[in-house]
């Protein structure tokens, strides 16, 4: 009987465990003083996400002063 109860609860336990795990992807935004911006999403680590956002911002700006605005581990 215990095995049946455990198997009945297993899907809920798996979902609860997955939702409390580490972030799977990073996303960042970068902005420049002239209003240009760049963003990234779904990167495996924060550094790569930040570099991508800055690169995208640099493509759009004429001031070349992009700075990271924010990064999110669920981005």
């Amino acid at each position: 009987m215990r095995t049946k109860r455990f198997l009945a609860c297993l899907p809920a336990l798996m979902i609860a465990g997955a939702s409390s795990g580490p972030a799977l992807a990073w996303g960042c935004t970068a902005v420049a003083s002239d209003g240009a911006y760049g963003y990234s999403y779904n990167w495996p680590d924060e550094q790569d996400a930040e570099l991508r956002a800055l690169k995208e911002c640099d493509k759009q700006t004429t001031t070349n002063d992009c700075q990271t605005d924010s990064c999110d581990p669920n981005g």
Side-chain angles (χ1 to χ4, degrees), residues 26-59:
W26 280 88
C28 296
T29 59
V31 295
S33 62
D34 65 357
Y37 66 92
Y39 64 93
S40 64
Y41 61 93
N42 205 23
W43 286 84
D45 59 62
E46 184 178 9
Q47 183 179 10
D48 288 341
E50 184 176 8
L51 290 174
R52 179 58 181 225
L54 289 167
K55 182 178 178 181
E56 293 300 316
C57 180
D58 284 340
K59 289 181 185 178

Side-chain angles (χ1 to χ4, degrees), residues 49-70:
E50 184 176 8
L51 290 174
R52 179 58 181 225
L54 289 167
K55 182 178 178 181
E56 293 300 316
C57 180
D58 284 340
K59 289 181 185 178
Q60 306 298 322
T61 186
T62 58
T63 60
N64 297 318
D65 64 349
C66 292
Q67 294 184 352
T68 304
D69 183 49
S70 65

